[in-house]
Every structure is written in structure tokens, then in C-alpha cells.
Amino acid sequence: RRSSARIPQKLVSGALRLNPWNLGIALIASLWGFVSIIVAGIDVTGLALVFWRCLIAAATLGIGLVALRRLPSLIPRTRRRHIAGLGFLLAIHWVLFFETLKQASVAVAILLVYTAPIFLAVLAPLFLPERRSRIGIVALAVSAPGLALIALAGEGGAAADPAAIGLGLGAALTYAFLIVWAKTVVPHVSVVSMAFWQYVLVALVVAPFLLTGGHVVPDADEWPWVLVLGAALTAV
């Protein structure tokens, strides 16, 4: 009786001692869902959304650092080529992610793109001093048939065509490589500096493709959501 009575107390005390960084990760994970909802609900091309998201995020970071009088921290002292490479990879990832949201339902797109942690569990030991995860390998083996079922047996708008599945898995794979690469860079550079220049580079890479046409400028009632996407859910 005594041991069983102490279990809830231990759980409560453990919850109260949660690392604030763990809570931050949980909050970020929750906000990812809002990104998908905003992207799916705005009637502009995926490329345009990537452009506006990164342009607004870069401006937000720049203005914030000016207000804090920390503008010199934007200048990367080292690993500049790595930062540029990460920017290109981030551009590819977000284009694939947003196009997946445009071509499939939000639920299917999220399920596809969120296979990234599984790929990460498999790839990280190949490039980082980390042990291979058996759980990750098993999860990857289990998820493949599940993706096939979504593609072939989905009903009521849940099914996704092969193109959407390919885009989603491409977004997941590029995200996994992005995390692995970034983990080798962040110990040597300012995180804010790396994020700022990645956003600037993504906007520059995507901008020429906006000239090909399509709905690239959000409507008046869409701009508040685009601002939330770029300033709050990306920069902050």
C-alpha cells in the first residue's frame, strides 16, 4: 500500500521537475500542427508560401536583434559554407513539405513528413557519434506498409496519390539530413545567425521560381496568417 501510494506523488514531483527545454520541445511540436493548417488553408502556391515565410522570418530576426542591440551576432565567423548548404537543403525540404500539403490532406501530409524521426534514427549513427536505435529500425519497417495502405486503401479523401507520397517522403528524408548536418554546425556558430542566413538564402533561392506564375501574393484576409507563419511559427 505504501509503495502504491507513493507512485502518484513521484509522478507529480517528476512532472514538476521537467526540464524547461523539454517543455519547449513539446510546445514546438504542438506549433508544427498549426503550420500545416495555415499552409493548407492559404490559397497560394507552396513556393510562394516558402518565400514569404522565410522573408518574414528573416526580417523578424533582424528587427529583433536590432532592438536588442545584438546585430553583430548575425555575422557568422565560421562554417559559412555549411550554413549555405543548410539553407539550400532547407529550401528543398520546405518546398517538398508545402507541396505535399497542397496535394494531400493535412493528416496524410503530416503522417508522411513525420516519418522524418524514423529516418533520423537510422541515419544519425552513420554520420554522428550516436548508437543505432533498434526501435527506429523496427518503426521504419512497420511504417512502410502503413504508407502503402494510406495510398491504396484510403477513403473519404484520406488516400494520397503516389506523387504526394513521394513528395512527403522526400520532405521527411531531407529533414532528417538537415537535422544531422545542423547538429555538426550548431556547436560552432550562433544559432540565430545560422537561422537568419538560412531564411535569407531560402528566400533568394525560391524567389526566381515565383516568376513562373500562379497565385503568389496572399489575399488581404490571408496576410495575418502568413505573418503568423513567418514571424511567430518560424522566427520565434
Side-chain angles (χ1 to χ4, degrees), residues 15 19 24 31 49-50 60 65 77 91-92 101 119 122 129 141 152 160 162 166 184-185 196 208 210 225:
N19 188 317
L31 294 178
L49 270 177
V50 171
T60 302
L65 290 177
R77 305 295 180 182
I92 296 172
L101 287 166
F119 288 119
V122 176
L152 300 176
T184 66
V185 177
F196 174 82
L210 303 184
W225 295 110

Short mmCIF file of all heavy atoms in Angstrom, two decimals, residues 15 19 24 31 49-50 60 65 77 91-92 101 119 122 129 141 152 160 162 166 184-185 196 208 210 225:
data_model
loop_
_atom_site.label_atom_id
_atom_site.label_comp_id
_atom_site.label_asym_id
_atom_site.label_seq_id
_atom_site.Cartn_x
_atom_site.Cartn_y
_atom_site.Cartn_z
N ALA A 15 6.92 15.39 -12.78
CA ALA A 15 6.37 16.31 -13.78
C ALA A 15 6.73 17.75 -13.45
O ALA A 15 7.01 18.55 -14.34
CB ALA A 15 4.85 16.15 -13.85
N ASN A 19 12.46 19.36 -17.27
CA ASN A 19 13.40 20.31 -17.83
C ASN A 19 12.65 21.31 -18.70
O ASN A 19 11.84 20.91 -19.56
CB ASN A 19 14.43 19.54 -18.67
CG ASN A 19 15.56 20.41 -19.13
OD1 ASN A 19 15.36 21.54 -19.56
ND2 ASN A 19 16.77 19.88 -19.07
N GLY A 24 9.80 23.14 -23.86
CA GLY A 24 9.93 23.92 -25.09
C GLY A 24 9.78 23.05 -26.33
O GLY A 24 9.13 23.43 -27.31
N LEU A 31 3.15 23.44 -32.09
CA LEU A 31 3.03 24.51 -33.08
C LEU A 31 3.20 24.00 -34.50
O LEU A 31 2.69 24.61 -35.44
CB LEU A 31 4.07 25.61 -32.79
CG LEU A 31 3.88 26.37 -31.48
CD1 LEU A 31 4.99 27.38 -31.29
CD2 LEU A 31 2.52 27.06 -31.45
N LEU A 49 4.56 30.41 -50.51
CA LEU A 49 4.49 30.36 -49.05
C LEU A 49 5.88 30.20 -48.44
O LEU A 49 6.18 30.80 -47.40
CB LEU A 49 3.58 29.22 -48.61
CG LEU A 49 2.10 29.56 -48.44
CD1 LEU A 49 1.31 28.32 -48.07
CD2 LEU A 49 1.91 30.66 -47.40
N VAL A 50 6.72 29.39 -49.05
CA VAL A 50 8.09 29.25 -48.57
C VAL A 50 8.81 30.59 -48.63
O VAL A 50 9.51 30.99 -47.69
CB VAL A 50 8.85 28.20 -49.40
CG1 VAL A 50 10.34 28.20 -49.04
CG2 VAL A 50 8.27 26.82 -49.16
N THR A 60 12.01 39.44 -39.16
CA THR A 60 11.68 39.42 -37.73
C THR A 60 12.94 39.25 -36.89
O THR A 60 13.14 39.95 -35.88
CB THR A 60 10.70 38.28 -37.43
OG1 THR A 60 9.51 38.46 -38.21
CG2 THR A 60 10.33 38.25 -35.96
N LEU A 65 17.04 41.61 -33.36
CA LEU A 65 18.43 41.79 -32.95
C LEU A 65 18.82 43.27 -32.93
O LEU A 65 19.65 43.68 -32.13
CB LEU A 65 19.35 41.00 -33.87
CG LEU A 65 19.26 39.48 -33.71
CD1 LEU A 65 20.15 38.78 -34.72
CD2 LEU A 65 19.66 39.07 -32.30
N ARG A 77 31.09 33.74 -38.10
CA ARG A 77 32.55 33.78 -38.09
C ARG A 77 33.17 32.56 -38.73
O ARG A 77 34.32 32.59 -39.18
CB ARG A 77 33.04 33.91 -36.65
CG ARG A 77 32.45 35.09 -35.88
CD ARG A 77 32.88 36.41 -36.47
NE ARG A 77 32.31 37.53 -35.73
CZ ARG A 77 32.51 38.81 -36.07
NH1 ARG A 77 33.23 39.11 -37.14
NH2 ARG A 77 31.95 39.78 -35.35
N ALA A 91 15.53 24.85 -48.13
CA ALA A 91 14.63 25.27 -49.22
C ALA A 91 13.99 24.06 -49.87
O ALA A 91 12.76 24.04 -50.10
CB ALA A 91 15.41 26.08 -50.25
N ILE A 92 14.78 23.04 -50.16
CA ILE A 92 14.23 21.84 -50.77
C ILE A 92 13.20 21.18 -49.85
O ILE A 92 12.12 20.77 -50.29
CB ILE A 92 15.36 20.84 -51.10
CG1 ILE A 92 16.29 21.45 -52.15
CG2 ILE A 92 14.80 19.51 -51.59
CD1 ILE A 92 17.54 20.63 -52.39
N LEU A 101 1.41 19.23 -48.64
CA LEU A 101 0.18 19.74 -48.03
C LEU A 101 -0.82 20.20 -49.07
O LEU A 101 -2.04 20.13 -48.84
CB LEU A 101 0.52 20.90 -47.08
CG LEU A 101 1.21 20.51 -45.77
CD1 LEU A 101 1.79 21.73 -45.08
CD2 LEU A 101 0.24 19.79 -44.84
N PHE A 119 13.63 8.07 -40.09
CA PHE A 119 14.81 8.14 -40.95
C PHE A 119 16.01 8.66 -40.15
O PHE A 119 17.14 8.20 -40.34
CB PHE A 119 14.54 9.08 -42.13
CG PHE A 119 13.61 8.49 -43.15
CD1 PHE A 119 12.40 9.12 -43.44
CD2 PHE A 119 13.93 7.34 -43.84
CE1 PHE A 119 11.53 8.59 -44.37
CE2 PHE A 119 13.07 6.80 -44.78
CZ PHE A 119 11.87 7.42 -45.05
N VAL A 122 17.77 6.10 -38.16
CA VAL A 122 18.59 5.21 -38.97
C VAL A 122 19.85 5.92 -39.48
O VAL A 122 20.94 5.34 -39.50
CB VAL A 122 17.77 4.66 -40.16
CG1 VAL A 122 18.64 3.80 -41.07
CG2 VAL A 122 16.58 3.87 -39.66
N PRO A 129 28.36 10.51 -33.85
CA PRO A 129 28.78 9.53 -32.85
C PRO A 129 27.62 9.10 -31.96
O PRO A 129 27.59 9.37 -30.76
CB PRO A 129 29.86 10.27 -32.06
CG PRO A 129 29.48 11.71 -32.18
CD PRO A 129 28.91 11.86 -33.56
N ALA A 141 10.40 -0.23 -40.55
CA ALA A 141 9.85 -1.41 -41.21
C ALA A 141 8.33 -1.47 -41.08
O ALA A 141 7.62 -1.89 -42.01
CB ALA A 141 10.47 -2.68 -40.62
N LEU A 152 -3.26 3.15 -51.00
CA LEU A 152 -4.09 2.24 -51.78
C LEU A 152 -5.49 2.07 -51.22
O LEU A 152 -6.42 1.74 -51.96
CB LEU A 152 -3.41 0.86 -51.86
CG LEU A 152 -2.03 0.84 -52.51
CD1 LEU A 152 -1.44 -0.56 -52.44
CD2 LEU A 152 -2.11 1.31 -53.96
N ALA A 160 -3.86 9.15 -50.77
CA ALA A 160 -2.89 10.04 -51.39
C ALA A 160 -2.33 9.38 -52.62
O ALA A 160 -2.11 8.17 -52.63
CB ALA A 160 -1.77 10.37 -50.40
N PRO A 162 0.56 8.60 -55.61
CA PRO A 162 1.99 8.33 -55.48
C PRO A 162 2.85 9.60 -55.48
O PRO A 162 3.88 9.64 -54.81
CB PRO A 162 2.28 7.45 -56.69
CG PRO A 162 0.98 6.78 -56.99
CD PRO A 162 -0.07 7.80 -56.67
N GLY A 166 5.51 10.52 -52.63
CA GLY A 166 6.91 10.78 -52.94
C GLY A 166 7.38 12.12 -52.41
O GLY A 166 8.48 12.23 -51.85
N THR A 184 26.09 19.08 -36.55
CA THR A 184 27.54 19.23 -36.66
C THR A 184 27.96 20.70 -36.75
O THR A 184 29.15 21.00 -36.61
CB THR A 184 28.07 18.47 -37.88
OG1 THR A 184 27.57 19.08 -39.09
CG2 THR A 184 27.63 17.02 -37.86
N VAL A 185 27.01 21.59 -37.00
CA VAL A 185 27.33 23.00 -37.21
C VAL A 185 27.02 23.85 -35.98
O VAL A 185 27.79 24.75 -35.63
CB VAL A 185 26.57 23.55 -38.43
CG1 VAL A 185 26.84 25.04 -38.63
CG2 VAL A 185 26.95 22.78 -39.69
N PHE A 196 19.03 32.98 -39.41
CA PHE A 196 18.82 34.17 -40.24
C PHE A 196 19.31 33.96 -41.66
O PHE A 196 18.59 34.21 -42.63
CB PHE A 196 19.52 35.37 -39.60
CG PHE A 196 19.49 36.62 -40.44
CD1 PHE A 196 18.38 37.44 -40.43
CD2 PHE A 196 20.57 36.96 -41.25
CE1 PHE A 196 18.34 38.59 -41.22
CE2 PHE A 196 20.53 38.10 -42.03
CZ PHE A 196 19.41 38.92 -42.02
N PRO A 208 13.15 33.40 -57.74
CA PRO A 208 13.03 33.34 -59.21
C PRO A 208 11.89 32.44 -59.70
O PRO A 208 11.30 32.71 -60.76
CB PRO A 208 14.39 32.78 -59.66
CG PRO A 208 15.33 33.13 -58.55
CD PRO A 208 14.51 33.01 -57.31
N LEU A 210 9.00 32.21 -58.51
CA LEU A 210 7.70 32.87 -58.39
C LEU A 210 7.30 33.56 -59.68
O LEU A 210 6.12 33.86 -59.90
CB LEU A 210 7.74 33.89 -57.25
CG LEU A 210 8.11 33.36 -55.87
CD1 LEU A 210 8.00 34.47 -54.83
CD2 LEU A 210 7.25 32.18 -55.48
N TRP A 225 -2.36 35.44 -41.38
CA TRP A 225 -1.90 34.07 -41.17
C TRP A 225 -0.49 33.87 -41.71
O TRP A 225 0.30 33.12 -41.13
CB TRP A 225 -2.87 33.09 -41.81
CG TRP A 225 -4.21 33.11 -41.18
CD1 TRP A 225 -5.37 33.59 -41.72
CD2 TRP A 225 -4.54 32.65 -39.87
NE1 TRP A 225 -6.40 33.46 -40.82
CE2 TRP A 225 -5.92 32.88 -39.69
CE3 TRP A 225 -3.81 32.07 -38.84
CZ2 TRP A 225 -6.57 32.54 -38.50
CZ3 TRP A 225 -4.46 31.73 -37.66
CH2 TRP A 225 -5.83 31.96 -37.50
#
